[in-house]
């Protein structure tokens, strides 16, 4: 007698059918795409979101809400992706992956229905973003393992290349989608994920099979605890380290920040010790004996930090400086920033799949190494062009950066996944995801810190002089110059003109401003138009860019060394191929 389950299975594409691998590829690509779109869609939509919930993004203490709106998703993704990959090995990768679509969709609905305003509304969105991060982690942790199970070794580079293209392209598509939807209604930024999530949920439950080798075992509670608390402590400390503290530009001297960094590092050290002594570790330390695995993940981490920092810096550059100087209103800069960054996505879409196919044939070493070196070259290119650049030159560097990133991503992913035994692919996929997502989180702390340090050296005197040149009294101008540069940096990041807010703050402190704070005053009108602040920021911002992109180029050079050390064409012993 045929059971309902058997009948249902026959309606699906058989796992032995050549079509099944393409079903798995298309579904997991959709899962990765929805996850990464939502990692960036909020970046471009923050002005509309804060306006919609009645929160001034530059108000006292509200920078914390802003940071956690971005970081909440990334922190949860970085912390949970390993354990969810391990759960995939234990209970079924497809099962955890399918559940990820459900969690992600439910969280998207909750975000869309935020019933509160003010601080309560911000906290609701932050919590919803964290739950969304749980669903995204389930998708991210198991998609690579599902693909590795479905495709033979000689085709994995192509499959993982397409998946990686979706991952990075999604982060830039999110900028465009967020820019368009936020101009209509900020809630659409979250509603857009709902129909995609529902379709992905139904499709994955109906089409995907459990083909991987399961490995039952314990959940390693002490390993999970020390890893989660340690990594969370470091990422949270970084979040608060870039905020002002006790009269200082940044908060790296804050005892709580130091405790988070030192304590988190100690817990991660304890975690590594635990993982070498438990029977069923969540983080298979033995995999680090495989050179392509550890070298590939090191390269991935460095490239992820550099890429994440570049994304933030380019948004600030376009939204806060270049677009306003060229006549775009602050309200329209989020949309146009996304559009003007399209060459980056185009380059990645072209190079990603091609490099994946070529790495299947010739090995990953040359492509991954060359990709990192070319990315470093583009960072030098960003350093030498003027802040008010001709767009064709900026677009050419963006296109080359996208091509170079695509050249690296797919070979790197396939080299990592081909190097591990079949029964540890879920864990390996989760570990790879942790390095990738942790890099994105670290990039915020690293590059914002570098940029703030660069601004602190130039912005105070520039701002003071600029305000005095337009009638602001010396005491008020000097007080404005002493304000933390993080406010100006986030204003640029949001496509927001902070001059009116700064002058209002000075006035409320009782310091004579020297001009009337309304548009009837010619000096005030000049100070608050769309050209003054971007032009004021140009020189200090370029000083910060030198520090930022020089550091990013150095990271890419180290990633190139790691990619070279990873070796050539390599498959684990359970694969029908040998090291080349």
């Amino acid at each position: 007698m045929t059971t309902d389950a058997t009948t249902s299975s026959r309606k699906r594409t058989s796992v032995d059918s050549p079509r099944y691998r393409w079903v798995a590829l298309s579904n997991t690509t959709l899962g990765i795409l929805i996850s990464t779109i939502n990692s960036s869609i909020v970046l471009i939509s923050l002005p509309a979101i804060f306006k919609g919930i009645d929160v001034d993004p530059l108000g006292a203490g509200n920078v914390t809400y802003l940071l956690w709106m971005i970081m909440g998703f990334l922190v949860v993704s970085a912390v949970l992706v390993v354990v969810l990959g391990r759960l995939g090995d234990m209970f079924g990768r497809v099962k955890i992956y399918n559940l990820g679509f459900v969690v992600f969709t439910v969280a998207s609905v909750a975000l869309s229905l935020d019933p509160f305003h003010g601080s309560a509304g911000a906290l609701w969105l932050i919590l919803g973003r964290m739950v969304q991060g749980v669903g995204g982690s389930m998708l991210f942790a198991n998609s690579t393992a599902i693909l590795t199970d479905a495709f033979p070794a000689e085709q994995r580079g192509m499959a993982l290349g397409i998946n990686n293209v979706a991952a990075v392209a999604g982060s830039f598509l999110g900028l465009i989608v967020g820019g368009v939807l936020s101009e209509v209604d900020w809630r659409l930024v979250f509603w857009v994920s709902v129909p995609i999530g529902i379709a992905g949920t139904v499709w994955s439950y109906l089409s995907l099979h459990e083909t991987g080798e399961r490995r039952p075992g314990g959940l390693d509670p002490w390993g999970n605890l020390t890893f989660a608390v340690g990594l969370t402590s470091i990422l949270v400390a970084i979040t608060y380290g870039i905020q002002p503290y006790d009269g200082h530009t940044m908060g790296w001297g804050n005892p709580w920040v130091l405790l988070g960094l030192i304590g988190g590092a100690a817990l991660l050290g304890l975690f590594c010790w635990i993982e070498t002594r438990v029977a069923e570790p969540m983080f298979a330390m033995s995999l680090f004996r495989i050179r392509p695995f550890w070298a590939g993940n090191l390269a991935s981490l460095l490239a992820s930090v550099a890429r994440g920092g570049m994304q933030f810096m380019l948004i600030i550059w376009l939204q806060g400086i270049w677009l306003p100087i060229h006549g775009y209103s602050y309200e329209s800069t989020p949309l146009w920033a996304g559009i003007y960054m399209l060459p980056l996505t185009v380059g990645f879409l072209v190079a990603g799949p091609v490099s994946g196919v070529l790495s299947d044939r010739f090995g990953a070493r040359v492509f991954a190494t060359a990709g990192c070196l070319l990315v470093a070259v583009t960072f030098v290119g960003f350093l030498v062009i003027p802040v008010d650049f001709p767009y064709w030159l900026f677009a050419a560097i963006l296109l080359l950066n996208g091509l170079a990133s695509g050249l690296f991503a797919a070979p790197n992913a396939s080299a990592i996944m081909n190097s591990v035994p079949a029964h540890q692919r879920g864990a390996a996929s989760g570990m790879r995801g942790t390095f990738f997502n942790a890099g994105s989180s670290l990039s915020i702390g690293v590059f914002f810190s570098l940029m703030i340090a660069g601004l602190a050296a130039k912005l105070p005197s520039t701002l003071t002089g600029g305000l005095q040149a337009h009638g602001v009294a010396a005491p008020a101008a000097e007080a404005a110059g002493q304000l933390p540069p993080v406010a100006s940096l986030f204003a640029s990041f949001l496509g927001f003109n902070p001059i009116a807010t700064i002058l209002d703050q000075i006035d409320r402190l009782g310091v004579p401003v020297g001009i009337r704070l309304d548009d009837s005053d010619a000096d005030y009108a000049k100070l608050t138009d769309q050209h003054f602040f971007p032009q004021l920021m140009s020189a200090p911002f370029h000083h910060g860019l030198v520090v930022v992109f020089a550091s990013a180029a150095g990271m890419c050079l180290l990633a190139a060394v790691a990619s070279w050390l990873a070796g050539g064409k390599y498959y684990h012993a359970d694969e029908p191929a040998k090291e080349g």
Side-chain angles (χ1 to χ4, degrees):
M1 183 175 179
T2 303
T3 65
D4 291 341
T6 305
T7 303
S8 175
S9 177
R10 287 175 179 173
K11 291 179 181 178
R12 296 189 291 172
T13 302
S14 167
V15 71
D16 297 321
S17 168
R19 290 180 53 223
Y20 176 72
R21 66 189 64 167
W22 305 109
V23 171
L25 175 59
S26 53
N27 188 277
T28 55
T29 298
L30 178 65
I32 288 292
L33 192 63
I34 190 176
S35 178
T36 56
I37 282 177
N38 278 271
S39 71
S40 65
I41 197 170
V42 166
L43 295 179
I44 212 81
S45 312
L46 282 172
I49 291 172
F50 276 93
K51 183 178 180 181
I53 61 175
D54 297 323
V55 173
D56 177 4
L58 299 182
N62 290 344
V63 168
T64 301
Y65 295 140
L66 185 151
L67 281 172
W68 276 105
M69 205 82 75
I70 302 169
M71 287 287 287
F73 186 95
L74 296 174
V75 168
V76 169
S77 298
V79 169
L80 290 184
V81 74
V82 172
V83 68
L84 292 169
R86 177 78 183 101
L87 288 174
D89 283 341
M90 293 170 58
F91 301 110
R93 294 154 193 168
V94 169
K95 183 179 295 184
I96 302 298
Y97 176 85
N98 292 347
L99 183 60
F101 262 123
V102 175
V103 173
F104 198 96
T105 306
V106 171
S108 299
V109 172
L111 285 163
S112 308
L113 298 175
D114 185 352
F116 303 112
H117 289 81
S119 297
L123 291 172
W124 176 282
L125 293 179
I126 290 168
L127 181 61
R129 289 279 291 167
M130 289 181 171
V131 177
Q132 214 178 34
V134 175
S137 298
M138 292 177 170
L139 296 170
F140 203 101
N142 292 282
S143 62
T144 305
I146 290 171
L147 279 183
T148 307
D149 290 335
F151 278 82
E154 65 275 8
Q155 288 186 325
R156 281 184 199 143
M158 176 273 301
L160 292 170
I162 293 174
N163 218 234
N164 272 272
V165 165
V168 179
S171 67
F172 290 105
L173 286 173
L175 301 177
I176 300 171
V177 174
V180 172
L181 295 180
S182 63
E183 289 200 350
V184 181
D185 189 328
W186 68 270
R187 295 181 189 273
L188 292 177
V189 171
F190 302 113
W191 275 120
V192 70
S193 299
V194 176
I196 301 174
I198 292 172
T201 300
V202 174
W203 186 20
S204 63
Y205 272 102
L206 292 179
S207 65
L208 296 181
H209 299 271
E210 291 288 3
T211 61
E213 178 183 343
R214 294 193 190 183
R215 192 181 189 188
L219 274 179
D220 182 18
W222 288 110
N224 277 284
L225 181 64
T226 51
F227 179 78
V229 176
L231 185 56
T232 301
S233 297
I234 290 175
L235 295 178
V236 170
I238 288 172
T239 302
Y240 288 96
I242 62 178
Q243 299 184 53
Y245 171 75
D246 195 25
H248 297 284
T249 301
M250 289 182 282
W252 297 113
N254 185 334
W256 290 106
V257 170
L258 293 173
L259 179 63
L261 293 173
I262 297 170
L267 283 172
L268 290 180
L270 178 60
F271 162 75
C272 293
W273 180 83
I274 291 171
E275 296 304 275
T276 61
R277 283 160 175 77
V278 295
E280 296 290 341
M282 64 167 282
F283 215 88
M285 302 300 288
S286 60
L287 293 180
F288 288 103
R289 297 177 188 146
I290 303 171
R291 189 175 65 181
F293 182 82
W294 70 256
N297 275 304
L298 176 59
S300 177
L301 174 66
L302 292 166
S304 182
V305 173
R307 180 173 57 248
M310 178 195 70
Q311 185 177 27
F312 289 117
M313 292 306 111
L314 294 184
I315 290 174
I316 293 170
W317 198 345
L318 288 170
Q319 289 190 185
I321 297 176
W322 194 85
L323 287 167
I325 286 176
H326 286 259
Y328 293 85
S329 67
Y330 277 101
E331 291 76 18
S332 68
T333 55
L335 171 62
W336 286 102
I339 292 173
Y340 278 124
M341 288 174 69
L342 271 175
L344 185 63
T345 305
V346 171
F348 201 92
L349 287 171
V350 170
V354 173
S355 68
V357 172
L358 293 175
S359 69
D360 284 335
R361 183 173 181 183
F362 300 108
R365 171 185 276 169
V366 172
F367 301 101
T369 304
C372 289
L373 292 174
L374 283 175
V375 171
V377 169
T378 63
F379 287 146
V380 175
F382 285 129
L383 282 178
V384 299
I385 65 174
V387 174
D388 187 12
F389 49 77
Y391 179 70
W392 68 267
L393 182 57
F394 182 77
I397 298 173
L398 274 184
L399 179 63
L400 180 59
N401 186 283
L403 291 169
S405 297
L407 196 63
F408 164 79
N412 172 264
S414 61
I416 292 171
M417 295 305 297
N418 282 337
S419 70
V420 301
H423 67 270
Q424 289 185 314
R425 283 174 185 160
S429 177
M431 293 162 76
R432 175 180 165 270
T434 292
F435 287 110
F436 183 92
N437 291 327
S440 298
S441 301
L442 288 169
S443 68
I444 295 176
V446 170
F447 285 95
F448 273 132
S449 295
L450 292 172
M451 178 55 75
I452 291 169
L455 288 177
K458 297 287 185 181
L459 184 60
S461 59
T462 303
L463 180 58
T464 299
L467 291 176
Q468 284 186 281
H470 289 85
V472 175
E478 290 172 4
Q482 296 306 311
L483 291 175
V486 67
S488 298
L489 182 64
F490 278 116
S492 296
F493 180 64
L494 292 169
F496 185 89
N497 188 344
I499 295 296
T501 301
I502 289 173
L503 293 177
D504 185 60
Q505 287 176 350
I506 300 301
D507 184 57
R508 289 183 181 183
L509 291 174
V511 179
V513 177
I515 60 174
R516 293 191 309 276
L517 301 185
D518 60 64
D519 287 334
S520 64
D521 188 295
D523 284 317
Y524 182 81
K526 178 65 177 178
L527 289 169
T528 55
D529 74 11
Q530 69 181 41
H531 296 97
F532 176 79
F533 179 67
Q535 290 170 344
L536 184 80
M537 281 282 290
S538 293
F541 181 75
H542 188 266
H543 181 76
L545 275 184
V546 171
V547 178
V548 166
F549 281 127
S551 301
M555 290 180 190
C556 288
L557 292 176
L558 291 175
V561 173
S563 296
W564 186 263
L565 290 174
K569 196 172 182 180
Y570 179 89
Y571 303 99
H572 193 267
D574 59 8
E575 298 285 5
K578 297 180 181 179
E579 186 172 1

